[in-house]
């Protein structure tokens, strides 16, 4: 099945210049994230039960996982194990587009969801 991202509601992130579109199945979810502006993200480190894969398809993003910082560029992939502290800290000068795959699915991100956020903060 092909996903047409334009058919999915755009979810604005509070306080961050990013847009997100969300799709999910029975076993995993996919979040398409578009950051049009370069700069600091100011996202606090967090963790969740879901394991996560991040695929950068355009631009670059700085990312911290388990206190190690990585520069992820177009074509790079990052893996975040379940319960691993992580955050994204900076979007590169050309912006970034990335796909976040989570298993089990992040149903708390589904439009209209009444589930509490799966994100945990220390």
């Amino acid at each position: 099945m092909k996903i047409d991202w334009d058919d999915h509601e755009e979810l604005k992130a509070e306080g961050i210049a990013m847009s997100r579109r969300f799709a999910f199945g029975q076993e995993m979810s996919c979040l398409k994230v578009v950051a049009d502006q370069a700069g600091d993200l100011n996202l606090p480190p967090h963790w969740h039960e879901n394991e996560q894969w991040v695929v950068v398809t355009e631009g670059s993003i700085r990312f911290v996982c388990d206190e190690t910082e990585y520069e992820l560029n177009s074509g790079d992939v990052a893996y975040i194990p379940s319960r691993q502290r992580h955050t994204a800290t900076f979007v590169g000068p050309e912006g970034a587009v990335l796909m976040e795959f989570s298993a089990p699915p992040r149903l708390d991100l589904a439009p209209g969801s009444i589930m509490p956020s799966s994100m945990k903060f220390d």
Side-chain angles (χ1 to χ4, degrees):
M1 168 186 297
K2 178 180 176 181
I3 301 295
D4 184 347
W5 288 108
D6 291 334
D7 291 342
H8 293 259
E9 180 180 344
E10 184 176 27
L11 309 170
K12 293 291 186 183
E14 290 184 34
I16 304 167
M18 285 186 173
S19 67
R20 304 173 298 167
R21 294 181 192 265
F22 182 71
F24 62 94
Q26 293 177 326
E27 304 296 330
M28 67 185 307
S29 60
C30 182
L31 188 67
K32 180 179 182 182
V33 179
V34 177
D36 292 327
Q37 298 178 359
D40 291 324
L41 290 174
N42 299 317
L43 295 171
H46 63 278
W47 60 274
H48 37 70
E49 295 293 328
N50 319 71
E51 68 176 344
Q52 187 174 27
W53 291 82
V54 177
V55 180
V56 178
T57 61
E58 297 177 36
S60 63
I61 193 162
R62 199 170 307 139
F63 172 77
V64 177
C65 187
D66 195 26
E67 299 181 19
T68 301
E69 188 170 59
Y70 303 93
E71 181 80 21
L72 300 176
N73 297 295
S74 181
D76 287 341
V77 177
Y79 170 68
I80 306 159
S82 175
R83 300 184 194 112
Q84 186 74 64
R85 291 182 84 238
H86 62 280
T87 189
T89 59
F90 187 82
V91 175
E94 65 283 352
V97 177
L98 49 111
M99 309 297 283
E100 292 183 6
F101 299 92
S102 296
R106 289 281 314 272
L107 298 179
D108 58 306
L109 297 176
S113 174
I114 59 171
M115 295 178 66
S117 174
S118 66
M119 294 174 40
K120 311 285 189 237
F121 303 93
D122 293 336

